Amino acid sequence: MRVRTRFEFDFVTTATPDQVIELMTDFSPNRIDRWPASSAKAFEVYHLGETDADIREGQDFPKVWATWHYDWSTPESVRLTVTESDSLQPGGYMTLTATRRAEGGSAVHGEWEQTSKSLTSAVGVTMMRFIGPRFLSSYYRKVYDGLPRS
């Protein structure tokens, strides 16, 4: 069963645009500690270039994984595109674009679009239609606001 959900979300963080991009594109072994929902078992780096990467990551609950192509060639923006997954159709994506605020920190705009592959993932993708904007805004803000300030 295929269900497609697309939404946009926004949040403000104390992190600078550079910090937003750096954290999204940190594929070191520290990634698991920096992203609380990430699974150490699912994390694997296949390719790491100057402005792109191919990464397998997932979470333990619910147990899902995806291989993502990360592209941060556009300044202050990162796009993640699903290339393979147990539950999502290839081609789904998420983008984050950070804009510097005069008061400090960043205003971040996100876009999320995914299509389910199965009945189980259809439930999750459908739920994201209703809770996704608030959930992702809150999760990312918490992670970014927790960064050490320089």
Side-chain angles (χ1 to χ4, degrees):
M1 176 175 205
R2 292 188 179 161
V3 172
R4 180 179 162 269
T5 295
R6 182 189 184 288
F7 59 84
E8 297 183 24
F9 60 99
D10 295 282
F11 63 96
V12 172
T13 177
T14 56
T16 66
D18 288 343
Q19 289 174 313
V20 169
I21 302 309
E22 186 278 328
L23 184 54
M24 282 297 291
T25 60
D26 173 10
F27 302 113
S28 74
N30 296 334
R31 185 172 186 80
I32 302 308
D33 297 325
R34 297 179 86 187
W35 290 102
S38 291
S39 167
K41 295 176 211 159
F43 181 63
E44 198 169 342
V45 178
Y46 298 121
H47 161 78
L48 182 55
E50 295 265 333
T51 60
D52 73 315
D54 295 308
I55 309 297
R56 183 182 192 268
E57 46 194 350
Q59 55 193 50
D60 293 326
F61 185 80
K63 189 176 175 108
V64 295
W65 64 268
T67 301
W68 299 88
H69 177 75
Y70 280 73
D71 178 345
W72 59 98
S73 59
T74 301
E76 300 183 343
S77 184
V78 177
R79 182 180 179 98
L80 299 66
T81 305
V82 174
T83 57
E84 182 183 4
S85 174
D86 61 341
S87 56
L88 301 171
Q89 290 289 328
Y93 69 92
M94 187 183 79
T95 62
L96 287 181
T97 302
T99 305
R100 185 171 308 279
R101 298 177 71 226
E103 310 88 331
S106 303
V108 181
H109 178 73
E111 294 179 27
W112 191 93
E113 181 178 306
Q114 301 296 335
T115 302
S116 63
K117 256 177 133 166
S118 66
L119 180 57
T120 304
S121 62
V123 172
V125 169
T126 300
M127 280 181 44
M128 287 299 282
R129 185 175 297 162
F130 302 103
I131 67 167
R134 188 177 322 174
F135 172 76
L136 290 179
S137 294
S138 174
Y139 175 71
Y140 283 114
R141 181 176 43 251
K142 182 178 179 181
V143 169
Y144 283 117
D145 285 353
L147 289 174
R149 299 292 142 231
S150 37

